[in-house]
Amino acid sequence: MDYSFPEGFLWGAASSATQTEGASQEGGKAQNIWDYWYTIEPEKFFQEVGPGAASDFYHQFKADVQRMADIGMNSFRTSLSWARLIPDGRNVNPEAVQFYQSLIDELLEKGIRPIINLYHFDMPLHLQEKGGWESREVVEAYVHYAKEAFRLFGGQVKDWTTFNEPIVPVEMGYLNHYHYPCIIDMKRAVQVAFHSMLASAKAIEQYRKLGHDGKIGIILNLTPSYPRSDDEADEKAAETADLFFNRSFLDPSVLGRYPADLTALLNQHHMLPDYVEGDMETIASHTVDFLGVNYYQPRRVQAKEHPVSNPALPEHFFDPYVWPERRMNPYRGWEIYEKGLYDIALNIKDHYNNIPWYVAENGMGVSDEERFMDEDGMIHDDYRIEFLEEHLKWLHKGIGEGSNCYGFHMWTFIDNWSWLNAYKNRYGFYRVDVETQQRSLKKSGHWFKGVSKNNGF
Ligand code: BGP
């Protein structure tokens, strides 16, 4: 074996509540922004498929946990649905407690470590109506939810994360039209970003107060930013992209402070968020124990050809650059650049205190995946195996050079519903037939079993 990983390495997969559970109107769950948006604008969603049934995990979780065990997963990272656990914003829903408790019990019984995330893009509707992350009241509602989650499940669950990809609701919901509430306003986007960061720090504060013997972190999607050339203007463009899309959450989460260059830039354009006394101290004193990192693709940029005199969006500071050597995922779009994971590993080691971290998502989306199905119904996803192996090789190199990575989670365990793309792009080790909700193992699932068993390949 050429690529063996550190002892105790986590070999898992990731998913999220809204994307898998389904039962969106069962078990006392309230509507979240996705349920609502689908009711008012179904045409926005691929083939007009909403989150109603997702992958039916709510009903099939027991058999699904067995499926996880069958392919050697020793870790599963998923999220709680806030709108399910605390539908009215105050009171815990007993049916949700029973569901999540049974799921956690089932995972532990099968030797699978539950990593529980609190927020994966799914704001309860009634809180969005109060302003979502723009509102301080919503920050406090989130802290209440976090406290309840820790109280209920913190005895058993030792790994918590406060957010998944907090930049995504900012980017997609407040800088373009891909997530509800579909606002385009940089100042409001900055407020949303700041309040999510503050909410994360406040949840960490509560977690530590409880004195559980677990760890709490955050999951960030890191997109290494590469300049077109080493010209000063191109490098500056890449640094600015990095400030907005990576360091805006990475620095405060791990180092407890915002990058001075980011604050100066926002100040220069009158876009600093509102905050009250004590907020910066809260962020400074409640940094994460570990990082979860989602990596799919890098960002390539160049200096702006036609600089904008009054920039109002991050993209006004740089232009995208199409690297002539780039390789695209032909089945989904998105550049494939495996070395990005190595660059992330070394960046964390060199600039972020070599904090413990794991890959929380990495995977290959494929549209029309049925075309790779044989007559026995098995998807031959050799492209996915190759994708994962190549990323793991670079990760292995980063670990060999001292980066403190302790796990890898594939996106995702079973094909799931994905926001506006619904079931267009498939990612799972298991195929899901959306009509029948039946699962079948793909070739990559067999491959993964061997990797997990041998702790490498
Ligand atoms: C990540 C999200 C996931 C998932 C994944 C794949 O950014 O955390 O929730 O959706 O991207 O994205 P897509 O399904 O759009 O290909």
Side-chain angles (χ1 to χ4, degrees), residues 19-294:
Q19 294 180 268
T20 48
E21 283 177 12
S24 68
Q25 293 178 44
E26 274 177 62
K29 180 179 162 295
Q31 277 199 323
N32 64 30
I33 51 174
W34 294 96
D35 304 313
Y36 174 68
W37 197 19
Y38 179 67
T39 62
I40 56 168
E41 289 190 278
E43 66 283 359
K44 291 241 177 197
F45 294 74
F46 181 69
Q47 294 177 344
E48 301 199 4
V49 177
S55 319
D56 197 35
F57 188 66
Y58 188 78
H59 298 114
Q60 302 201 33
F61 73 93
K62 279 198 180 158
D64 281 341
V65 171
Q66 181 58 51
R67 291 184 181 97
M68 294 178 200
D70 289 346
I71 58 167
M73 281 170 54
N74 59 21
S75 172
F76 178 53
R77 88 118 176 132
T78 189
S79 66
L80 305 179
S81 158
W82 185 356
R84 187 181 294 288
L85 192 65
I86 312 207
D88 64 1
R90 235 19 266 162
N91 300 297
V92 166
N93 167 15
E95 284 181 83
V97 176
Q98 197 187 6
F99 167 63
Y100 289 121
Q101 187 60 62
S102 313
L103 170 62
I104 291 163
D105 289 345
E106 205 67 28
L107 288 165
L108 290 171
E109 200 184 298
K110 298 274 183 315
I112 299 169
R113 183 155 148 182
I115 299 183
I116 301 296
N117 175 41
L118 293 172
Y119 189 80
H120 197 126
F121 310 166
D122 53 353
M123 178 65 70
L125 179 62
H126 67 99
L127 294 176
Q128 186 62 46
E129 283 166 350
K130 291 187 168 159
W133 291 117
E134 287 184 80
S135 150
R136 248 190 120 97
E137 193 182 334
V138 171
V139 173
E140 292 313 321
Y142 169 85
V143 175
H144 169 69
Y145 155 57
K147 255 162 72 178
E148 290 295 339
F150 301 147
R151 180 183 65 78
L152 289 161
F153 311 118
Q156 287 171 294
V157 174
K158 306 295 179 198
D159 303 80
W160 291 90
T161 56
T162 55
F163 280 78
N164 173 78
E165 303 188 351
I167 192 84
V168 167
V170 176
E171 214 184 329
M172 302 300 183
Y174 291 83
L175 294 174
N176 54 52
H177 280 155
Y178 294 119
H179 283 197
Y180 194 77
C182 304
I183 288 164
I184 300 188
D185 186 323
M186 178 73 174
K187 174 99 170 82
R188 292 172 72 180
V190 171
Q191 191 66 55
V192 166
F194 177 70
H195 275 163
S196 331
M197 190 60 246
L198 181 67
S200 174
K202 283 177 174 252
I204 294 173
E205 179 177 24
Q206 293 303 326
Y207 185 70
R208 299 219 169 107
K209 271 193 191 154
L210 286 172
H212 288 308
D213 63 341
K215 296 202 178 327
I216 185 156
I218 191 165
I219 296 166
L220 302 178
N221 50 319
L222 298 182
T223 47
S225 301
Y226 301 110
R228 167 181 54 182
S229 72
D230 55 9
D231 280 4
E232 205 183 306
D234 284 339
E235 288 196 339
K236 179 88 192 140
E239 274 167 32
T240 307
D242 189 40
L243 278 178
F244 279 120
F245 292 108
N246 297 317
R247 297 185 58 197
S248 55
F249 281 97
L250 187 54
D251 285 34
S253 296
V254 179
L255 307 175
R257 57 174 186 268
Y258 280 96
D261 287 354
L262 178 64
T263 320
L265 201 63
L266 293 175
N267 193 22
Q268 192 189 339
H269 297 287
H270 312 289
M271 289 193 275
L272 282 177
D274 298 331
Y275 60 96
V276 302
E277 212 188 316
D279 284 354
M280 292 307 173
E281 289 70 22
T282 300
I283 290 173
S285 350
H286 303 99
T287 56
V288 295
D289 296 321
F290 66 87
L291 265 183
V293 174
N294 296 352

Side-chain angles (χ1 to χ4, degrees), residues 277-334:
E277 212 188 316
D279 284 354
M280 292 307 173
E281 289 70 22
T282 300
I283 290 173
S285 350
H286 303 99
T287 56
V288 295
D289 296 321
F290 66 87
L291 265 183
V293 174
N294 296 352
Y295 175 66
Y296 290 94
Q297 59 174 343
R299 189 183 301 272
R300 298 191 188 275
V301 299
Q302 57 188 359
K304 264 215 111 53
E305 222 167 291
H306 305 290
V308 181
S309 55
N310 196 9
L313 295 176
E315 288 74 11
H316 292 166
F317 292 89
F318 47 81
D319 277 336
Y321 167 60
V322 179
W323 185 38
E325 288 166 49
R326 76 174 181 170
R327 285 173 296 127
M328 297 298 284
N329 169 356
Y331 312 121
R332 191 232 178 274
W334 289 1

Side-chain angles (χ1 to χ4, degrees), residues 420-454:
L420 290 184
N421 290 328
Y423 278 100
K424 185 175 178 194
N425 303 313
R426 304 305 187 98
Y427 282 89
F429 285 134
Y430 286 87
R431 170 176 184 263
V432 172
D433 180 322
V434 183
E435 300 296 314
T436 63
Q437 289 290 354
Q438 278 188 339
R439 285 85 159 113
S440 52
L441 192 58
K442 300 181 192 174
K443 191 172 173 187
S444 58
H446 289 284
W447 165 85
F448 184 78
K449 186 171 186 176
V451 175
S452 164
K453 182 160 166 263
N454 299 320

